[in-house]
Amino acid sequence: MEKALYLKDNFSVKFIYDFIKEFFFFIESQTDSFIFSLLLEYIFLMIGFTFILAIIQQIFIELRINFLNRIYKRMIKNKKIKIIRVVSEFYYLIDRFLFLISPNVLTYGDSGYNNSLKRSEALSPIRFFNKTISFFKTLFGLSLVNILIWIIIISIHNPNILDQISDFLSWQKFWAFIKKIDYKTINAVTGFLALLISIFTLIMFRTNLLRSKAKRKIQDEKYEQVIKYQIIISTALSNCLHLAERNINYLESRIDFLTSCFCEKLSSSNYYFKNDEIKASENSRWALQPVSDIEQFTDFESFNEELEKIENCLETINNNVLTQIYFKVNKSSFYEMSNLHLTPFGKKLMLDQFLIDRNFILTVAENTIDHYSHLLDFFDKVNMLKTGDLSDEQFIEEYNYYASNSIQDIISIKEKNLEKAVIEFKNRLTTIFEESIYYYILSQQYIRILDKNSKLNITDWFLGK
């Protein structure tokens, strides 16, 4: 069985190699220039590798979004915070691992073409010229894909080259070469060459030397700025987490109460919500005021000031052209950064939603009540009907679009609509709570990585001299 699989794999590899070889011969037969044919061969292989890596990346994306994420959401649905915490941490570790091993060929998201001037760049000759120059630079770039492409091209044009390289790099020949080295001679030659290069550089490239020194100084200052801003971001995010922890705990313990308050607000104190169903109430037990003044919503903590600090830092990084360095410094935290939307591209932060800021939860309640304002109006009319401020005939005339002329039937229909709206609101609060655990864990790990990147290590002590 193993032998059959080995032969099958060998056959597949040989078939692909022969196909590439035949295609190369076809290109060379159609072109007179060897350089041009080599360029076409490189483009062909680059497209092929990019296509394969794009498929692999898409498989990983589907695996993460349509399989892993769905399983995760099912496992945390209507669970206690301890279970959600453990499941979320396992999800974070697995999803992060899949993200890191996935090829980063395709990029998604906002392209930045949010106005006519930006969109006009698609037809820019300068942009096309720069892309062309960038492509030619990648021909000799040091990357795994580039090395594989050149190995394939060279091996097809010179099938014996790999054997020759392998033979040259064999241990026996390498050891024999080491034995023959005269270290004293090498030391003398390298010392003399270093002296010549230093003198030549000082005489011939004084201006370039000064320019390089200035560029290095500016580059060092940019790194210092990025480190400074990321420390501010880390501190502000830590404060956000401290307040978010209270909000998450508070929301978990008050979902049912908030839902019942919402029900009473929407029904003009005619109903309350208990055991996942609406129940009639003769007297209001909570005496709700307008939603923006509801005491239980204002009990949530607000961390808007900290969010502004983070937003200002990211905006400054973007405006001062420090984005590239920021990503280099925080390369190891790209997964956390992208999922928290903490990229310095001038976008509005979403941490108020991820970590449940007070203003966000108030906005959710207000928007939901506005969406169902027709129910609020209806139950106001029901109260007017009870107090005699509205007659039965006037009430039926206003809601005569229902099939039945019975007041009770009309109210029953609205009760079902009310129950549906209240359950949707409760589900929304539950989802906000469940998802906040993952973002809380994500933020913790992001802070940990930022702190690690900001601390001095042994390498920094030596290289920083």
Side-chain angles (χ1 to χ4, degrees), residues 58-72:
Q58 194 61 40
I59 291 171
F60 274 100
I61 290 172
E62 293 295 322
L63 178 63
R64 291 174 56 219
I65 296 175
N66 294 328
F67 178 71
L68 184 63
N69 188 258
R70 287 184 180 181
I71 291 176
Y72 163 68

Side-chain angles (χ1 to χ4, degrees), residues 123-147:
L123 303 174
S124 169
I126 295 176
R127 185 167 179 263
F128 176 76
F129 175 77
N130 291 335
K131 289 286 185 182
T132 305
I133 297 298
S134 177
F135 167 74
F136 280 107
K137 286 182 179 179
T138 60
L139 285 170
F140 307 102
L142 189 62
S143 66
L144 181 61
V145 173
N146 226 22
I147 291 170

